């Protein structure tokens, strides 16, 4: 039986609309994005050149920049702040990696060359809910846009908007509202299903579960990949040395990034749908705590792994887990594919061996045996150590704050 004793309760929610306006307005957005990039890179340089520069110093520096440059001053102050905070986050991440002595690259903060967005906090924008319009009110003269999207704007209040982000993509300009909502206000909670499931993500199947079913990996990517490669080749052929590129190159580049976007959206949709279904039909979902980054280093497997979109899948499982108050547990992937689910004996097998056969008489598909082991790991012997695990952030980057007790 499962008791959920923790309380969760704020959830971040993103709503996205396409921005419809005039060419001049889009240029003004580009200009704002360039300014954000300018601020970010200036902050980074300031940190590199200085000694013991802290976050407060960076804030002060931004204030100075606003005095010094008219075009920085024209940008909404919270957007400047945001650029500064981003820089600081990447610096902190770098410090943390050094401190934890992680192997390989430490993620030294980079100068940004292709910033695609800017973010506003509580000021610099104004929503007109009836007309479904948003106006940007800082000195960059961006003006008012029509918001294209299905979701009604009355769905949320201004105070629930944590951030407004304007993003430039290959197929247009978008406005995202980052909402901070209380789960209980928005989500009808699901009834307990009294079912648990363990899932094993793999190369042959998108995942196999402990009930013995498998979900096939979607092939869009590989199908689209051919086309993608062709577009990429065309793009490279038209590339010229030097800075000035022909219209044909720009066109080819645009086609390529559009296709790329399409493929990644398809992948994300697939992962999202499967994750939602898992969460809706189970009280507990157990999966492996895979470090996809490490796996991807093996380049031969990399394509399939990226393709299968595991990390997106996990992100969505954890997201829906929080949203619907279901338990999601990441277990260590050690031995899950070699141990016999029936008797526990360790049976080594290479990747090509698809069936688990044990001397105890147990015989099962290799991935389903693994899924069963994953569920077993998640539901036994963890009770005392859970809060500790939470401290160590064993939940990965999940926003999940559930604490569970299993008997
Ligand atoms: Zn056995």
């Amino acid at each position: 039986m499962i008791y959920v004793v923790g309380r969760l309760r704020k959830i971040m929610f993103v709503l996205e609309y396409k921005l419809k306006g005039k060419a001049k307005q889009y240029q003004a957005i580009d200009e704002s994005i360039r300014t954000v990039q300018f601020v970010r890179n200036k902050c980074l340089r300031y940190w590199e050149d200085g000694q013991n520069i802290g976050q407060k110093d960076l804030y002060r520096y931004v204030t100075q920049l606003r005095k010094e440059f008219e075009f920085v001053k024209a940008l909404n102050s919270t957007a400047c702040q945001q650029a500064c905070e981003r820089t600081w986050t990447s610096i902190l991440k770098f410090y943390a990696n050094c401190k934890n002595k992680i192997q390989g690259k430490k993620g030294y903060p980079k100068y940004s060359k292709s910033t695609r967005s800017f973010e506003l906090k509580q000021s610099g924008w104004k929503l007109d809910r009836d007309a479904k319009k948003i106006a940007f009110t800082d000195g960059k003269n961006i003006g008012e846009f029509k918001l294209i999207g299905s979701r009604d704007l009355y769905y949320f209040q201004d105070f629930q908007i944590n951030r407004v982000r304007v993003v430039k993509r290959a197929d247009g300009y978008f406005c995202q509202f980052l909402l901070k909502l209380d789960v209980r206000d928005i989500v009808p909670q699901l009834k307990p299903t009294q079912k648990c499931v363990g899932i094993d993500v793999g190369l042959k199947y998108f995942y196999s579960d402990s009930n013995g079913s498998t979900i096939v990996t979607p092939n869009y990517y590989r199908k689209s990949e051919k086309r993608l490669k062709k577009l990429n080749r065309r793009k490279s052929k038209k590339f010229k040395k030097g800075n000035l590129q022909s219209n044909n190159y720009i066109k080819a580049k645009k086609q390529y990034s559009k296709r790329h976007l399409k493929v990644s959206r398809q992948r994300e949709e697939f992962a999202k749908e499967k994750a939602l279904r898992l969460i809706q039909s189970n009280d507990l979902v157990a999966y492996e705590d895979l470090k996809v980054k490490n796996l991807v280093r093996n380049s031969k497997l990399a394509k399939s792994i990226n393709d299968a979109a595991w990390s997106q899948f996990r992100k969505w499982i954890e997201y829906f887990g929080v949203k619907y108050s279901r338990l999601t547990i990441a277990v260590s992937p050690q031995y899950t594919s070699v141990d016999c689910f029936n008797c526990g004996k360790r049976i080594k097998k290479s990747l090509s061996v698809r069936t688990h056969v044990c001397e105890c008489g147990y015989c099962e598909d290799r991935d389903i045996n693994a899924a069963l082991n994953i569920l077993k790991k998640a539901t036994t012997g963890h009770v005392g150590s859970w809060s500790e695990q939470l401290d160590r952030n064993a939940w990965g980057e999940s926003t999940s704050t559930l604490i569970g007790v299993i008997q």
Side-chain angles (χ1 to χ4, degrees):
M1 253 178 100
I2 298 152
Y3 301 92
V4 175
V5 294
R7 287 167 299 117
L8 60 96
R9 290 19 237 247
K10 290 285 179 190
I11 187 166
M12 297 304 268
F13 211 77
V14 182
L15 285 184
E16 187 173 288
Y17 300 85
K18 196 164 183 178
L19 289 173
K20 196 178 159 202
K22 299 212 171 78
K24 220 172 124 190
Q25 293 180 278
Y26 296 131
Q27 281 163 18
I29 291 182
D30 288 342
E31 162 58 22
S32 294
I33 292 175
R34 271 195 298 275
T35 307
V36 163
Q37 180 167 300
F38 174 82
V39 172
R40 186 201 144 92
N41 289 345
K42 274 283 195 184
C43 283
L44 191 54
R45 170 58 55 82
Y46 186 70
W47 168 74
E48 275 186 330
D49 290 351
Q51 271 176 343
N52 297 323
I53 302 287
Q55 191 175 16
K56 277 191 184 140
D57 302 312
L58 283 187
Y59 277 138
R60 268 196 290 273
Y61 180 60
V62 170
T63 313
Q64 193 186 316
L65 285 176
R66 287 173 71 78
K67 278 182 194 150
E68 204 173 320
F69 298 96
E70 274 300 319
F71 69 94
V72 177
K73 200 176 173 206
L75 184 69
N76 176 276
S77 62
T78 63
C80 288
Q81 252 180 44
Q82 190 61 26
C84 172
E85 280 162 19
R86 283 259 162 126
T87 316
W88 184 243
T89 310
S90 58
I91 292 169
L92 282 183
K93 203 170 161 194
F94 167 67
Y95 281 150
N97 284 344
C98 293
K99 201 178 152 208
N100 298 332
K101 299 199 171 99
I102 65 147
Q103 295 281 309
K105 287 190 180 154
K106 304 283 186 293
Y108 189 83
K110 282 193 197 106
Y111 286 92
S112 177
K113 280 188 228 155
S114 53
T115 306
R116 285 161 178 273
S117 65
F118 69 86
E119 265 180 47
L120 300 164
K121 292 184 184 174
Q122 310 299 338
S123 67
W125 52 270
K126 202 171 178 330
L127 263 181
D128 180 343
R129 289 184 159 81
D130 290 319
K132 231 179 168 187
K133 280 180 177 172
I134 187 166
F136 296 95
T137 56
D138 63 2
K140 293 286 189 187
N141 296 318
I142 298 177
E144 195 176 54
F145 290 91
K146 187 119 187 73
L147 292 165
I148 313 292
S150 55
R151 186 74 85 152
D152 196 278
L153 290 172
Y154 289 102
Y155 174 75
F156 53 91
Q157 307 287 313
D158 277 5
F159 75 88
Q160 292 172 312
I161 301 175
N162 200 267
R163 298 255 197 289
V164 175
R165 185 189 287 151
V166 176
V167 191
K168 180 185 184 178
R169 297 212 188 92
D171 57 349
Y173 292 79
F174 296 82
C175 182
Q176 295 180 331
F177 296 97
L178 233 74
L179 308 176
K180 203 172 192 180
L181 304 176
D182 195 303
V183 180
R184 282 160 300 187
D185 293 344
I186 52 158
V187 183
Q189 293 300 301
L190 303 172
K191 287 201 179 107
T193 59
Q194 309 207 314
K195 280 185 203 148
C196 300
V197 71
I199 59 163
D200 179 52
V201 292
L203 297 177
K204 193 174 171 212
Y205 302 112
F206 186 70
Y207 71 78
S208 312
D209 71 28
S210 51
N211 303 319
S213 358
T214 49
I215 300 287
V216 179
T217 306
N219 280 325
Y220 341 112
Y221 189 67
R222 234 157 281 144
K223 276 185 203 154
S224 290
E225 200 180 44
K226 256 192 181 164
R227 175 99 187 113
L228 204 62
K229 265 191 185 153
K230 212 168 148 191
L231 288 173
N232 195 18
R233 267 203 305 277
R234 191 187 293 166
K235 188 183 85 171
S236 328
K237 258 189 214 161
K238 300 206 184 316
F239 184 79
K240 288 193 198 109
K241 274 193 179 160
N243 282 329
L244 213 62
Q245 294 299 333
S246 67
N247 280 337
N248 281 337
Y249 172 79
I250 293 166
K251 225 162 105 189
K253 190 178 164 192
K254 205 165 182 184
Q255 276 178 332
Y256 173 77
S257 29
K258 260 190 171 169
R259 169 65 54 154
H260 209 281
L261 209 62
K262 192 181 164 194
V263 175
S264 64
R265 280 198 186 126
Q266 280 175 329
R267 256 187 297 179
E268 180 105 31
E269 271 313 304
F270 181 83
K272 189 173 164 185
E273 185 212 316
K274 294 298 168 218
L276 178 60
R277 210 162 282 173
L278 271 173
I279 288 293
Q280 281 176 334
S281 42
N282 295 282
D283 294 339
L284 180 152
V285 180
Y287 46 92
E288 286 176 304
D289 188 12
L290 290 171
K291 299 274 180 285
V292 174
K293 219 167 107 192
N294 295 344
L295 292 170
V296 172
R297 269 191 213 131
N298 181 342
S299 61
K300 225 177 163 185
L301 293 178
K303 194 163 63 181
S304 312
I305 288 170
N306 282 327
D307 192 354
W310 294 348
S311 53
Q312 273 169 346
F313 187 43
R314 173 174 176 175
K315 182 190 82 188
W316 282 112
I317 288 177
E318 286 167 353
Y319 173 82
F320 287 123
V322 171
K323 189 167 166 185
Y324 293 108
S325 296
R326 301 291 211 207
L327 215 47
T328 58
I329 302 177
V331 302
S332 150
Q334 228 182 357
Y335 305 125
T336 49
S337 59
V338 286
D339 281 0
C340 174
F341 172 68
N342 191 38
C343 70
K345 194 171 158 57
R346 205 150 282 167
I347 295 165
K348 295 252 182 225
K349 44 189 172 294
S350 70
L351 251 179
S352 57
V353 180
R354 302 302 318 164
T355 315
H356 168 91
V357 183
C358 180
E359 50 200 45
C360 72
Y362 185 71
C363 174
E364 184 56 275
D365 179 273
R366 137 194 205 114
D367 296 334
I368 289 167
N369 177 60
L372 283 160
N373 281 328
I374 289 164
L375 181 60
K376 188 152 89 179
K377 268 194 176 182
T379 50
T380 48
H382 283 298
V383 177
S385 58
W386 277 21
S387 55
E388 194 187 317
Q389 275 187 359
L390 274 176
D391 287 344
R392 289 202 315 261
N393 200 11
W395 302 68
E397 289 172 356
S398 139
T399 49
S400 164
T401 48
L402 277 176
I403 300 170
V405 174
I406 294 171
Q407 287 183 338

